[in-house]
Amino acid sequence: MSPSQYFAPPRADALAGRRVLVIEDDPMVSEVVGQYLRAAGFVVDEAVDGLAGLRQAEMIQPDLVVLDRMLPLLDGIEVCRRIRMNWGALPVIMLTALGEEEHRIEGLEVGADDYLVKPFSPRELVLRVQSVLRRSGTESIPEGILDAGEFALNLAAHEIRLRGKPLVLTAREFDLLAYLIWRPSKVLTREELLRSVWGWEFGDLSTVTVHVRRLREKIEVDPAHPLLVNTVWGVGYRFDPVPLGTAGGAAAAGTA
């Protein structure tokens, strides 16, 4: 079965009923976002500050969080950091009024899977939510395990093992590593990764750069001198599944 089926868009009804928690203190933004998400078939819960958002996340166990960066009581950066500590791979899309690159990168580095800069199109947000969630469905996912060097990729179980131990990855980190594993020794441009993994035709290429850096911190012995995910200068990245024992991972279960 072709891996392209896994990265293809879902059926229109495949995500119906999935639960999205919107943590946003602006009532107008929250109302509009909620309306569009409900119209797309999602169940939507809302919170108006960071602490309330964390309490809601613990109670309802959402499938995805839409998170404003600038929140009262606890800002979005700290909320995202605690989500990663407590719920691991729970997908987070961050909303920010701060458009500077360093602010966007800060959100990605604490574990956000995606971001949108205000003002944004609610329709685009819905597409981003669908894009992040589509990997968690089970339809059209190839069965069996693909071995690549020290890695074992099991798409049906949504699991990647390194030296037999499951990696703790965010949703986007999983998507990115899975895409690389399917294409060993092939040079992939950042534009291609943005299009195939994120589902964006256009976007900030630093999104790919930050996720590659985070991925290296979890799988490379020395992230500053990578052996597995290599930079091909002026072109993009290449995944090289080195022989067992040549390199090892740093973030098996419990060490992310």
Side-chain angles (χ1 to χ4, degrees):
M1 188 177 292
S2 170
S4 63
Q5 290 182 272
Y6 174 62
F7 294 97
R11 283 179 8 200
D13 62 346
L15 301 176
R18 302 293 287 275
R19 197 157 197 165
V20 178
L21 172 60
V22 178
I23 310 177
E24 168 63 67
D25 64 322
D26 185 325
M28 183 175 295
V29 174
S30 182
E31 180 180 359
V32 171
V33 166
Q35 288 176 349
Y36 273 78
L37 288 171
R38 291 185 182 97
F42 295 103
V43 176
V44 180
D45 298 275
E46 297 166 351
V48 297
D49 64 67
L51 291 178
L54 289 173
R55 288 194 295 268
Q56 279 278 82
E58 185 173 11
M59 286 190 298
I60 67 175
Q61 298 292 301
D63 296 295
L64 181 142
V65 175
V66 175
L67 174 65
D68 186 30
R69 188 186 189 280
M70 301 178 70
L71 290 168
L73 302 185
L74 198 67
D75 71 20
I77 294 296
E78 182 58 29
V79 172
C80 188
R81 186 177 289 114
R82 295 190 189 188
I83 285 174
R84 286 288 161 259
M85 290 174 57
N86 295 320
W87 297 289
L90 174 62
V92 175
I93 295 178
M94 189 167 286
L95 309 178
T96 176
L98 304 173
E100 290 81 2
E101 184 179 24
E102 61 267 26
H103 293 125
R104 299 196 301 270
I105 289 176
E106 183 181 15
L108 293 170
E109 286 185 331
V110 297
D113 297 280
D114 205 344
Y115 68 86
L116 277 174
V117 177
K118 296 178 180 178
F120 56 86
S121 163
R123 293 178 60 188
E124 182 179 0
L125 175 60
V126 171
L127 291 173
R128 298 284 183 96
V129 169
Q130 292 171 335
S131 175
V132 172
L133 283 177
R134 68 184 181 185
R135 271 61 168 192
S136 60
T138 57
E139 295 187 32
S140 299
I141 295 180
E143 296 181 355
I145 297 174
L146 175 66
D147 292 314
E150 299 180 346
F151 294 86
L153 167 63
N154 187 335
L155 291 177
H158 204 265
E159 180 182 77
I160 300 176
R161 289 179 175 262
L162 176 54
R163 289 184 169 179
K165 296 181 180 179
L167 291 168
V168 179
L169 303 169
T170 69
R172 283 297 192 205
E173 290 167 354
F174 178 91
D175 296 343
L176 178 58
L177 184 54
Y179 194 84
L180 292 170
I181 288 174
W182 272 111
R183 295 154 179 81
S185 305
K186 178 181 179 181
V187 178
L188 302 166
T189 66
R190 291 194 298 171
E191 290 84 356
E192 179 180 352
L193 291 170
L194 197 67
R195 182 172 57 253
S196 299
V197 178
W198 275 261
W200 304 355
E201 287 299 327
F202 305 97
D204 187 347
L205 294 178
S206 65
T207 299
V208 178
T209 305
V210 171
H211 278 80
V212 167
R213 182 163 66 243
R214 280 173 30 197
L215 197 57
R216 284 171 171 164
E217 291 171 354
K218 294 188 175 186
I219 67 174
E220 300 279 2
V221 172
D222 181 2
H225 300 90
L227 297 175
L228 298 167
V229 181
N230 288 288
T231 299
V232 180
W233 294 105
V235 184
Y237 301 101
R238 185 186 65 238
F239 174 69
D240 295 317
V242 297
L244 186 65
T246 303
T255 62

